[in-house]
Amino acid sequence: MFSLLISLLLAFLIGWVSQRMGMCLVNAIGLLLKRRPTLFVSLVSCGLFGLLLAPLYALSGVSQPLFIPEVGYLSLVGGGLLFGLASVLNDGCSVGTLTKLASGNLNKVFTILGWVLGIVLWHHLNMLPEHRALQMPMITSRHYWLLIGIVLLILLFLIRIHGDKHLVLSSLLLGALTSALYTFEPLWTPSVFFYDLSQRFWGPDTSLTTQRVAVFAMLMLGMLCYTLHRRTFSYQQLAAMTAGRHLLAGVLMGTGASMMLGGNDSQILLVFPTLTWVGAVPLVSIVLGILVGVGVKRLRA
């Protein structure tokens, strides 16, 4: 019971901080193109900051569920590009979809439905089993501390220029909170939740427990409460054309996430912190896909 209460509290706080931070990779890259890179660097660094607590977890005998996707480069690159392009079409990544839904945009429900359909579609098209190599890096290694130190220096420099101190503090806090929640609920991320929800369409799934559903609900509640606190809730009723666009984007995002074994949330928090070449490929591909999508969108405008 204590573990459940802690998990629910952490999920609520993650939802609150994510909404405050504006945690969306599409939005972050949009600001990056406007020469305001603080949100992008802060967002990508969340998983690295979570590693700062790893020595404490090691003393407690707890490890983080970091992994390297053991699939071909074509699948990683193709999935990342597809996910990035679809995120622009959707006007939000995986967490960005939830933050906008919590802000009153009901059309984002169709993104989630599409995501589930995309995962089911990929499962029927690709019957190869998944392979994930679990990897807990040696946090005592110098290159980890060197990289985290460099990132912090970059963020301090950006604070001095742009003054976005709250983004950096939110990133540090978010890294600590997500890292802590992984010790209680290793499968809490939205993209993993959607994947396990999709599994029910092709076979029995026992991983989607009541606790995981409750954690996801508290994540959404945290986002909603921050929106209500800041009085930024803006109800947007369903519109057929908009809902159809989000449904299509969701299908493409779900397919792309399946190809690279996780959406951008898993790539940032679980794959990229391994600091391996393979672990960087999906995230870089997602960023390139978003950049291409934003470029096409601007040309059309």
Side-chain angles (χ1 to χ4, degrees):
M1 178 60 71
F2 177 75
S3 174
L4 175 60
L5 292 176
I6 294 297
S7 297
L8 295 178
L9 176 61
L10 289 171
F12 179 87
L13 293 175
I14 290 171
W16 180 284
V17 176
S18 297
Q19 194 78 332
R20 183 180 189 276
M21 186 180 179
M23 189 177 178
C24 178
L25 195 55
V26 176
N27 182 35
I29 291 179
L31 291 174
L32 175 65
L33 294 175
K34 295 178 181 178
R35 299 182 181 179
R36 296 189 69 89
T38 310
L39 178 60
F40 176 77
V41 178
S42 299
L43 184 55
V44 174
S45 303
C46 283
L48 293 175
F49 294 148
L51 295 178
L52 293 174
L53 297 177
L56 176 62
Y57 298 143
L59 292 176
S60 305
V62 178
S63 62
Q64 298 289 281
L66 305 183
F67 71 92
I68 299 173
E70 291 189 332
V71 294
Y73 282 106
L74 182 61
S75 182
L76 292 177
V77 175
L81 291 173
L82 180 62
F83 187 92
L85 288 168
S87 295
V88 177
L89 178 63
N90 181 60
D91 192 27
C93 59
S94 54
V95 178
T97 296
L98 300 182
T99 57
K100 289 180 173 63
L101 176 60
S103 298
N105 189 347
L106 294 184
N107 292 290
K108 293 295 184 180
V109 171
F110 285 86
T111 302
I112 298 175
L113 293 176
W115 189 302
V116 173
L117 290 175
I119 294 173
V120 175
L121 176 64
W122 177 254
H123 171 78
H124 288 293
L125 291 177
N126 176 61
M127 301 304 295
L128 296 176
E130 291 188 358
H131 293 285
R132 301 186 181 198
L134 297 179
Q135 175 171 327
M136 185 57 197
M138 297 298 295
I139 312 302
T140 54
S141 299
R142 292 180 180 178
H143 67 283
Y144 271 95
W145 294 110
L146 177 62
L147 178 61
I148 292 174
I150 292 173
V151 171
L152 286 173
L153 287 175
I154 292 173
L155 289 172
L156 289 174
F157 176 73
L158 292 175
I159 288 176
R160 184 176 180 85
I161 296 177
H162 301 296
D164 296 325
K165 182 167 62 176
H166 71 284
L167 292 177
V168 179
L169 295 177
S170 295
S171 176
L172 289 167
L173 179 58
L174 196 60
L177 291 171
T178 54
S179 179
L181 183 54
Y182 277 125
T183 65
F184 294 96
E185 185 52 72
L187 303 175
W188 70 268
T189 50
S191 62
V192 177
F193 181 85
F194 297 153
Y195 180 83
D196 290 339
L197 181 64
S198 306
Q199 278 189 307
R200 293 175 176 262
F201 285 89
W202 65 77
D205 176 48
T206 58
S207 61
L208 201 61
T209 61
T210 303
Q211 177 170 327
R212 287 189 62 195
V213 174
V215 167
F216 181 79
M218 287 299 291
L219 178 72
M220 294 298 301
L221 181 61
M223 295 177 179
L224 176 61
C225 286
Y226 181 80
T227 301
L228 296 176
H229 169 68
R230 292 301 300 267
R231 299 179 181 179
T232 56
F233 185 88
S234 178
Y235 173 72
Q236 298 182 37
Q237 64 182 5
L238 294 174
M241 291 295 293
T242 304
R245 175 167 58 86
H246 288 305
L247 181 65
L248 173 61
V251 171
L252 298 177
M253 290 171 71
T255 303
S258 298
M259 293 172 65
M260 55 182 177
L261 304 189
N264 67 304
D265 51 0
S266 296
Q267 303 300 334
I268 290 173
L269 298 173
L270 295 178
V271 180
F272 183 65
T274 61
L275 295 187
T276 59
W277 166 247
V278 178
V281 170
L283 185 56
V284 172
S285 299
I286 292 173
V287 172
L288 289 176
I290 293 176
L291 287 172
V292 172
V294 170
V296 172
K297 191 174 182 179
R298 288 184 176 183
L299 287 175
R300 291 186 61 187

